[in-house]
Amino acid sequence: MHTVVVGTSGVTASDVLAVARDGARVELSGEAVAALAAAREIVDALAAKPDPVYGVSTGFGALATRHISRELRTQLQRNIVRSHAAGMGPRVEREVVRALMFLRLKTVCSGHTGVRPEVAQTMADLLNAGITPVVHEYGSLGCSGDLAPLSHCALTLMGEGEAEGPDGVVRPAAELLAEHGIQPVELREKEGLALLNGTDGMLGMLVMALADLDRLYKSADITAALSLEGLLGTDKVLAPELHAIRPHPGQGASAANMLAVLKGSGLTGHHQDDAPRVQDAYSVRCAPQVAGAGRDTVAHARLVAERELASAVDNPVVLPDGRVESNGNFHGAPVAYVLDFLAIAAADLASIAERRTDRLLDKNRNHGLPPFLADDAGVDSGLMIAQYTQAALVSEMKRLAVPASADSIPSSAMQEDHVSMGWSAARKLRTAVDNLTRVIAVELYAATRAIELREGLTPAPASQAVIEAARAAGVGGPGADRFLAPDLAAADAFVRDGRLVAAAESVTGPLQ
């Protein structure tokens, strides 16, 4: 099994995906263990002094003015975890919790948190044992970190609360730790706070969304090209020289992808109706501009994610000169903004795909195809309601595009009086990405049927490869009405697991 080694300088997006989705093992580097020990010596020295230090010998948040005596500090750290593990609602996905735990371990290993090496090792042991704390949907405001979600993870480290074992069964955490020979940790000065104070949940969801969107933007370029063929559109608008004079990188990449898919097509440019088109509709002609703008948004979000992956997010932090300083680096604004931005871009990509689908089904605009691509229109309804489903998905995505980060709600007796709502932005983006996958699947379903109904015209080799792969995957072709949900589910799976992109790339080579 692949092993990810965590050092002091952060991790990569591929590391996060390997641990969160693929179950990769985690190891601490020698450098990280040394940095952990050195930072802990600083915290221990400060803890021995009579002067109050936030997070070491004081209460937290609005209660930071109270100096805590040494005999109560273990109880203080235990209590902060118990009291902050206050999430509610359904459980979040296993991959999200694994990303959350791994990214908290990344910051711990930076040597800026003051956590003992044995605590960090126990965090790695939990991940390697496949033990996943139960984390709930609601509880994070995205400031002072994802407090409630991280607290539920820290609770499992203490052998308390509930967690899911590698068999998928939720059981008491103490039982799971005992079964795997993991000793629960007893937290010391600053450790409870250090385990709770980060942007790890929202960052993990951002990293996974970026990976999914990379696949979906390629998928959308492919389905846009298929729709262009089905509508007998022109590929002249994809010429590189046209996109060179408006040099947005994403736009150029999308146009190049569409052109690669359409290479050798016998359908482009055929106008079968009585009024030849001078131009195709915006949803066809402007596909690279819309998808390209989204691609550039993804690129910006990736830059933010890379910076955050290299960061040590905690409060207070241990500095190399021995100071332990309060700071605001836990605020989730940088991550929250791009999470919201991605939801806007995803909604627009879905919206333009739905417009192309609607055009394929409308006999007044589809240039000679049957109404709703039905076999016997009137007796058959064809894909009429598939487009309804797609429209419902797009409508929800527009609601999800309303930014969470524009909101703030004060907490902790007005000490934490401006928050990022980044966790909420991440949760709605996950739904938007899921819905975008389904929207692209419906366009695929309609466009492949439309191409097959163009008798006597030969699609591009890449398009033909997609059609053949889709049919082999259970995505049905033209014919009389049938139970449509299984076909749409097959199309969804075909897009979701990357087979759509793989089929096109079997002819085009790697797409951008």
Side-chain angles (χ1 to χ4, degrees):
M1 181 180 291
H2 177 59
T3 297
V4 173
V5 179
V6 184
T8 59
S9 57
V11 297
T12 66
S14 61
D15 291 335
V16 177
L17 295 168
V19 174
R21 289 183 163 171
D22 301 331
R25 291 186 58 80
V26 177
E27 289 182 4
L28 311 185
S29 71
E31 174 195 33
V33 173
L36 284 159
R40 187 65 208 179
E41 287 181 7
I42 294 170
V43 170
D44 285 341
L46 288 171
K49 294 180 178 180
D51 302 322
V53 177
Y54 177 68
V56 176
S57 53
T58 70
F60 309 112
L63 303 176
T65 54
R66 178 177 171 182
H67 183 260
I68 307 298
S69 61
R70 296 199 69 174
E71 62 273 14
L72 292 177
R73 290 177 191 169
T74 296
Q75 181 180 342
L76 169 68
Q77 300 299 321
R78 183 168 60 244
N79 284 352
I80 190 177
V81 173
R82 288 173 173 171
S83 65
H84 286 45
M88 295 182 74
R91 290 173 55 196
V92 302
E93 304 83 359
R94 182 176 185 270
E95 67 177 15
V96 171
V97 180
R98 285 184 62 83
L100 175 78
M101 295 166 67
F102 176 66
L103 288 168
R104 186 72 285 189
L105 178 61
K106 174 267 297 184
T107 280
V108 164
C109 287
S110 69
H112 290 295
T113 68
V115 168
R116 289 169 294 152
E118 51 265 43
V119 176
Q121 184 58 55
T122 305
M123 296 170 74
D125 291 343
L126 279 184
L127 286 165
N128 293 338
I131 297 172
T132 308
V134 171
V135 173
H136 299 279
E137 181 80 19
Y138 302 105
S140 174
L141 299 180
C143 199
S144 289
D146 292 317
L147 285 173
L150 284 163
S151 297
H152 282 275
C153 294
L155 198 66
T156 299
L157 278 178
M158 293 164 44
E160 300 183 18
E162 290 187 322
E164 178 186 298
D167 59 359
V169 177
V170 174
R171 295 165 54 196
E175 290 182 13
L176 287 167
L177 267 60
E179 275 187 12
H180 290 85
I182 300 173
Q183 186 69 29
V185 298
E186 183 175 49
L187 301 175
R188 289 168 47 180
E189 291 94 343
K190 194 183 179 302
E191 290 180 333
L193 187 60
L195 295 177
L196 315 186
N197 221 334
T199 55
D200 309 293
M202 63 182 92
L203 176 59
M205 286 186 274
L206 172 60
V207 169
M208 289 185 282
L210 289 170
D212 294 338
L213 287 168
D214 279 344
R215 181 187 70 254
L216 289 172
Y217 272 92
K218 289 181 185 178
S219 299
D221 291 340
I222 295 166
T223 58
L226 294 174
S227 290
L228 185 150
E229 278 193 294
L231 291 166
L232 304 177
T234 178
D235 58 359
K236 290 182 178 180
V237 295
L238 304 173
E241 57 270 26
L242 293 175
H243 298 278
I245 62 175
R246 194 190 191 195
H248 293 286
Q251 175 181 325
S254 283
N257 283 349
M258 289 182 66
L259 204 57
V261 172
L262 292 169
K263 185 178 181 181
S265 175
L267 282 83
T268 56
H270 289 267
H271 299 152
Q272 290 187 335
D273 47 18
D274 294 330
R277 283 162 283 161
V278 176
Q279 301 179 121
D280 290 314
Y282 283 10
S283 59
V284 178
R285 190 181 359 141
C286 302
Q289 285 76 10
V290 172
R295 283 170 167 269
D296 291 342
T297 303
V298 169
H300 170 62
R302 181 170 289 108
L303 176 62
V304 172
E306 287 169 354
R307 290 170 177 163
E308 198 76 358
L309 287 167
S311 300
V313 179
D314 192 17
N315 179 48
V317 292
V318 181
L319 297 173
D321 60 9
R323 288 179 293 148
V324 176
E325 296 285 3
S326 248
N327 68 92
N329 284 343
F330 50 75
H331 200 288
V335 182
Y337 291 170
V338 293
L339 288 163
D340 279 333
F341 199 176
L342 289 172
I344 293 170
D348 201 32
L349 186 63
S351 181
I352 197 170
E354 184 275 330
R355 288 293 80 206
R356 289 190 295 264
T357 303
D358 180 67
R359 184 167 289 272
L360 286 164
L361 305 189
D362 184 353
K363 70 179 182 66
N364 296 310
R365 294 179 293 141
N366 65 15
H367 308 288
L369 291 168
F372 305 106
L373 307 183
D375 187 58
D376 184 5
V379 174
D380 293 315
S381 295
L383 307 191
M384 180 191 296
I385 307 304
Q387 185 267 329
Y388 280 34
T389 299
Q390 191 186 41
L393 290 162
V394 171
S395 185
E396 182 180 34
M397 290 181 69
K398 290 175 181 177
R399 294 192 296 272
L400 293 168
V402 176
S405 58
D407 187 24
S408 176
I409 189 163
S411 58
S412 193
M414 293 299 285
Q415 176 72 4
E416 299 170 8
D417 59 352
H418 183 82
V419 297
S420 78
M421 303 307 297
W423 174 273
S424 298
R427 295 306 294 165
K428 68 184 182 67
L429 177 60
R430 281 183 71 83
T431 303
V433 169
D434 268 350
N435 284 356
L436 177 59
T437 306
R438 297 179 181 111
V439 168
I440 292 172
V442 176
E443 182 179 19
L444 168 75
Y445 192 60
T448 54
R449 179 180 284 207
I451 289 172
E452 289 186 306
L453 289 171
R454 295 291 188 187
E455 296 180 1
L457 296 174
T458 304
S463 301
Q464 187 60 43
V466 167
I467 292 168
E468 291 173 2
R471 300 296 174 253
V475 182
D481 280 359
R482 55 186 176 271
F483 181 23
L484 212 54
D487 275 9
L488 297 179
D492 178 24
F494 186 69
V495 174
R496 192 175 297 272
D497 63 18
R499 282 177 288 169
L500 167 60
V501 173
E505 289 184 334
S506 70
V507 175
T508 65
L511 295 171
Q512 299 182 47

